[in-house]
Amino acid sequence: MTIDHPAAVKLKERFGHLHLKVASFRGQTQIEVPGENLTQVVTFLRDDSTLGYDMLCDVTCVDYLNYPGWDKARFGMVYTFNSVAAGQPRLILRVFLGEAQLAIDSLVPLYAGAEWMEREVFDMFGVRFRGHPDLRRILTWDGFKSHPLRKDYPVTGLGERENYPVLDRDSA
Amino acid sequence: MPIEPTSLPDNVLTMNLKKVVNWCRRSSVWPMPFATACCGIELMATASSRYDLARFGAEVMRFSPRQADLMIVAGRVSIKMMPVLHRIYLQMAEPKWVISMGACASTGGVFDNYATVQGIDQFLPVDVYVPGCPPRPETLMEGIMLIQKIIDQHGMPASKRQPMKLSVQPNYRPTPQPQVILGPKLAAALHE
């Protein structure tokens, strides 16, 4: 099956030496990018006049721990791009990261809107974003130690909710 | 000279001061809605004209805790929100009462996860638990009437409150459930 997504064609011309893997499922095209080339590829996608991916729609992550038949690294980053002005079809970039090197370049210098989305991925999965201006937790509270969306984190938590002060009638 | 009832004019009544103060308090319970989820919708319905909480003097929802004396915690509370709830509770002036409305506020409900408080009574003193998911407006009213009962028995000046072991007795009889008619296959499967 040939994939005629315009971004895939252009990326093949420009980054042929990286041997990017392209996959398409039900009209959605995703391209697997090595982590160290992410900024380069995204800058090209954004600045190319015909592609013009000017909107970073979503940044999220998937934990593939114990996923049946999985042979790639454990964490899969998902970047969804829209091309609003140029009108190209939506594009998904995937970057796979192992547990040992759980860090990736931040896209905040390219898309300001990535800031909170990357903070959420850091909060939920523990992925470090290099060059992020303010990499703090965003959903869980200060002092939370774990990353709750990882598959090896128990649903009821590791006792984090027991450490709060208790008000009774005499102290209130 | 002690006051004698006969010496008072007809339009003066003598009464226990505690009783008068408690009557004032019970007839003007101003709730502070801490509505975080679907229970808040029922809370709004309770205050609106169909159920009309004004009949109990409790229709004035105050969004400032300093003007309220009953906090209704309606909905699930996340642990990150717990300091906010604490702070609002501390800002309320005495005497104050707390209703934990619905399954989530009382026990965490179905949300037994790392982020949700498993019952606000782990962190706050709660006076009345209103069961339901969400409770119907009638049930919430029953809870507010229980608060009024607590106020009636509450001393003045405020003494240390003790559990009163009050509970709502259902004042209705459930109608029998309709008989389920099963086909032969399903009946055989259930029989096994």
Side-chain angles (χ1 to χ4, degrees):
Chain A
M1 191 180 106
T2 57
I3 291 168
D4 53 355
H5 193 287
V9 177
K10 283 255 184 183
L11 285 176
K12 199 176 175 187
E13 282 172 21
R14 174 72 178 75
F15 296 101
H17 59 284
L18 292 181
H19 304 290
L20 305 176
K21 281 183 206 152
V22 183
S24 179
F25 180 71
R26 298 204 172 172
Q28 295 206 356
T29 303
Q30 59 176 12
I31 300 178
E32 192 182 324
V33 180
E36 60 271 21
N37 301 103
L38 179 73
T39 312
Q40 211 183 349
V41 170
V42 173
T43 311
F44 172 74
L45 288 172
R46 187 188 66 160
D47 294 342
D48 188 272
S49 56
T50 53
L51 294 177
Y53 282 95
D54 47 5
M55 176 179 171
L56 176 56
C57 194
D58 195 14
V59 178
T60 183
C61 185
V62 183
D63 184 0
Y64 288 100
L65 182 72
N66 302 331
Y67 193 83
W70 191 251
D71 54 353
K72 291 179 186 163
R74 177 175 164 187
F75 292 96
M77 294 291 301
V78 184
Y79 295 90
T80 313
F81 293 92
N82 279 359
S83 161
V84 180
Q88 301 289 2
R90 160 183 278 241
L91 177 68
I92 298 165
L93 294 190
R94 301 298 310 270
V95 180
F96 292 98
L97 302 169
E99 272 170 280
Q101 272 296 315
L102 203 51
I104 192 168
D105 287 337
S106 170
L107 290 189
V108 179
L110 299 172
Y111 299 90
E115 186 183 346
W116 281 17
M117 298 192 275
E118 289 184 347
R119 274 177 69 184
E120 185 182 350
V121 171
F122 164 69
D123 191 356
M124 291 288 141
F125 293 94
V127 178
R128 261 70 176 175
F129 290 90
R130 286 184 292 256
H132 191 287
D134 181 25
L135 196 59
R136 287 179 294 133
R137 290 180 176 275
I138 187 168
L139 294 175
T140 57
W141 54 96
D142 293 340
F144 196 84
K145 296 278 187 287
S146 319
H147 300 291
L149 276 192
R150 289 188 178 188
K151 294 292 180 200
D152 50 2
Y153 182 81
V155 174
T156 50
L158 298 169
E160 291 92 350
R161 58 190 180 193
E162 274 84 39
N163 302 326
Y164 260 73
V166 180
L167 287 182
D168 57 17
R169 268 192 237 288
D170 296 329
S171 68
Chain B
M1 184 187 120
I3 301 174
E4 289 177 20
T6 47
S7 68
L8 291 169
D10 285 349
N11 55 355
V12 176
L13 294 171
T14 57
M15 211 185 190
N16 190 343
L17 176 63
K18 176 178 153 185
K19 215 168 179 176
V20 179
V21 170
N22 283 350
W23 173 76
C24 294
R25 280 180 178 160
R26 79 191 295 281
S27 317
S28 63
V29 177
W30 285 11
M32 141 92 215
F34 193 89
T36 51
C38 40
C39 280
I41 305 293
E42 295 296 307
L43 179 57
M44 288 173 229
T46 315
S48 66
S49 55
R50 186 181 177 96
Y51 295 98
D52 197 14
L53 205 51
R55 292 178 292 156
F56 306 94
E59 82 282 13
V60 199
M61 296 283 168
R62 289 288 141 180
F63 295 93
S64 159
R66 290 162 200 269
Q67 300 169 349
D69 37 24
L70 167 67
M71 180 157 68
I72 302 179
V73 183
R76 66 198 90 90
V77 179
S78 67
I79 297 176
K80 201 174 177 179
M81 203 183 246
M82 207 57 225
V84 180
L85 186 59
H86 269 169
R87 198 171 166 151
I88 288 176
Y89 179 75
L90 287 173
Q91 284 181 348
M92 286 169 64
E94 285 280 2
K96 53 189 171 185
W97 298 274
V98 178
I99 285 184
S100 165
M101 178 183 176
C104 297
S106 304
T107 66
V110 295
F111 303 100
D112 186 12
N113 59 29
Y114 61 93
T116 313
V117 172
Q118 301 298 298
I120 57 162
D121 57 351
Q122 293 184 359
F123 301 99
L124 278 183
V126 172
D127 291 288
V128 170
Y129 302 86
V130 176
C133 183
R136 286 197 47 90
E138 295 93 330
T139 325
L140 178 59
M141 276 177 190
E142 194 113 32
I144 287 173
M145 285 158 75
L146 269 187
I147 289 280
Q148 291 181 331
K149 237 180 228 181
I150 291 175
I151 294 172
D152 280 341
Q153 299 186 22
H154 185 55
M156 188 216 74
S159 55
K160 196 173 177 198
R161 269 182 268 166
Q162 301 293 334
M164 287 168 59
K165 310 243 172 4
L166 293 174
S167 71
V168 180
Q169 297 302 322
N171 54 2
Y172 56 89
R173 194 175 299 126
T175 50
Q177 294 296 305
Q179 188 112 33
V180 181
I181 299 164
L182 299 174
K185 264 190 180 172
L186 198 54
L190 282 178
H191 195 65
E192 283 174 17

